[in-house]
């Protein structure tokens, strides 16, 4: 179910890249361009401030990296242009096998989605998603992923496997970048013991998802405390973080500064 080494080589360039909405809010706070950034701009912001972006940013960046490596890849998405949309990438190896590449949901590595391939299995697999085992269940032009958590709970997500035309995908990206959901979010893969876990800052709470279950962080009261914690986990520029979180504070009820 694992991807070829040439696909993995591109994927690994994005190890440690968070998925987040903090950069979008920071751009809003600066009254800057509220459309999808190009890859050159994203690279510049990464170099200057350590930031990455949301699922559209990461998908577009990953698509460009696959293109530079000579690997066929195309965008996929669900509920595009609705505000509840999600963007990911499908990479295709030299023999035509398709692999889901989802930086937005912080997968550990790409996974095969072709049910007719000899390497395919519908068994629960570890090592693909932090803090959970996954099953891939293909069906015609879509596939379902079942996430099995260590506490016995499970959740599902349905992906379309059909390519989204780039013009349509970029229009959905522009729509996403022009709307800021009032609850801040950052997710990042982090080493934890002998595994890679998933740390999440979501609506002024933070926790770590591991193969042993959730590890909740102590609550914080101030913006400055959150800046310090998020900087420790992500390496993001502290001034940018404070400006971003202050912007979120103005959108909804949040900790005092």
């Amino acid at each position: 179910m694992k991807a070829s080494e040439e696909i993995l080589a591109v994927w690994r360039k994005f190890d440690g890249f968070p998925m987040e909405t903090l950069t979008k809010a920071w751009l809003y706070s600066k009254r800057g361009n509220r459309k999808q950034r190009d890859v050159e701009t994203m690279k510049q912001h990464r170099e200057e401030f350590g930031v990455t972006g949301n699922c559209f940013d990461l998908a577009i960046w990953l698509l460009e990296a696959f293109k530079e490596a000579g690997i066929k890849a195309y965008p996929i998405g669900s509920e595009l242009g609705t505000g509840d949309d999600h963007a990911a990438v499908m990479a295709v190896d030299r023999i035509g096998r398709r692999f889901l590449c989802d930086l937005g949901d912080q997968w550990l590595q790409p996974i095969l989605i072709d049910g007719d391939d000899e390497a395919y299995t519908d068994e629960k697999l570890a090592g693909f998603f932090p803090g959970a085992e996954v099953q891939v269940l293909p069906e015609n032009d879509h596939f379902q992923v079942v996430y099995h958590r260590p506490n016995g709970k499970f959740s599902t997500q349905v992906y379309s496997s059909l390519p989204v035309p780039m013009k349509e995908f970029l229009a959905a990206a522009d729509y996403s970048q022009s709307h800021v959901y009032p609850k801040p979010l950052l997710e990042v893969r982090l080493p934890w013991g002998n595994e890679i876990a998933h740390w999440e800052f979501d609506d002024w709470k933070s926790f770590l998802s591991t193969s042993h279950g959730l590890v909740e962080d102590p609550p914080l009261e101030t913006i400055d405390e959150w800046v310090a914690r998020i900087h420790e986990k992500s390496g993001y520029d502290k001034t940018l973080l404070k400006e971003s979180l202050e912007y979120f504070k103005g959108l909804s009820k949040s900790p005092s500064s």
Side-chain angles (χ1 to χ4, degrees):
M1 297 287 279
K2 293 182 178 180
S4 63
E5 186 56 41
E6 62 178 357
I7 290 176
L8 287 172
V10 174
W11 174 267
R12 291 182 186 125
K13 294 178 181 180
F14 295 84
D15 286 349
F17 273 46
M19 188 287 298
E20 41 84 8
T21 61
L22 305 183
T23 299
K24 184 196 300 188
W26 173 72
L27 291 169
Y28 265 62
S29 74
K30 295 298 185 182
R31 300 183 182 276
N33 179 21
R34 298 184 177 185
K35 292 187 176 182
Q36 177 61 50
R37 295 174 295 162
D38 58 26
V39 174
E40 182 179 353
T41 302
M42 287 190 279
K43 287 181 177 179
Q44 180 183 342
H45 288 160
R46 177 72 173 169
E47 183 176 346
E48 291 183 7
F49 307 107
V51 299
T52 56
N54 69 0
C55 63
F56 282 99
D57 293 314
L58 293 172
I60 289 168
W61 202 336
L62 182 59
L63 283 168
E64 181 68 18
F66 278 133
K67 181 179 179 181
E68 290 176 354
I71 296 170
K72 180 181 178 181
Y74 57 85
I76 60 173
S78 60
E79 300 186 74
L80 296 181
T82 66
D84 293 321
D85 37 17
H86 181 67
V89 171
M90 196 75 75
V92 184
D93 70 10
R94 294 182 182 275
I95 59 175
R97 301 187 306 163
R98 298 172 299 170
F99 294 86
L100 169 68
C101 302
D102 192 344
L103 289 170
D105 275 350
Q106 293 289 289
W107 282 67
L108 298 174
Q109 61 177 307
I111 193 166
L112 180 72
I113 70 151
D114 293 318
D116 58 354
D117 190 271
E118 62 181 12
Y120 170 78
T121 178
D122 62 2
E123 295 180 0
K124 295 186 289 186
L125 300 172
F128 286 91
F129 193 86
E133 294 179 316
V134 297
Q135 284 177 290
V136 177
L137 305 175
E139 295 182 32
N140 298 324
D141 59 359
H142 65 278
F143 60 98
Q144 180 175 267
V145 176
V146 184
Y147 304 87
H148 297 269
R149 307 290 177 177
N151 57 8
K153 294 183 179 180
F154 70 92
S155 59
T156 62
Q157 183 173 3
V158 176
Y159 291 85
S160 170
S161 54
L162 298 176
V164 178
M166 201 62 193
K167 183 176 180 180
E168 179 182 333
F169 190 75
L170 291 175
D174 281 342
Y175 180 87
S176 175
Q177 306 301 3
S178 66
H179 294 77
V180 177
Y181 186 63
K183 296 179 180 179
L185 176 67
L186 183 142
E187 304 175 27
V188 65
R189 294 160 288 175
L190 294 175
W192 187 79
N194 295 322
E195 65 181 279
I196 301 296
H198 177 276
W199 186 79
E200 184 169 345
F201 163 63
D202 184 6
D203 194 20
W204 309 103
K205 297 178 182 179
S206 63
F207 53 89
L208 194 68
S209 297
T210 78
S211 62
H212 299 284
L214 285 182
V215 180
E216 296 186 359
D217 292 332
L220 299 177
E221 296 297 328
T222 70
I223 295 291
D224 286 342
E225 288 175 317
W226 278 115
V227 166
R229 178 177 290 176
I230 298 169
H231 171 76
E232 177 191 1
K233 304 297 185 182
S234 67
Y236 278 22
D237 179 83
K238 290 183 177 180
T239 300
L240 182 150
L241 284 172
K242 183 161 187 175
E243 291 174 352
S244 175
L245 294 178
E246 290 285 5
Y247 184 84
F248 276 111
K249 179 188 173 186
L251 296 179
S252 62
K253 183 180 179 181
S254 60
S256 63
S257 60

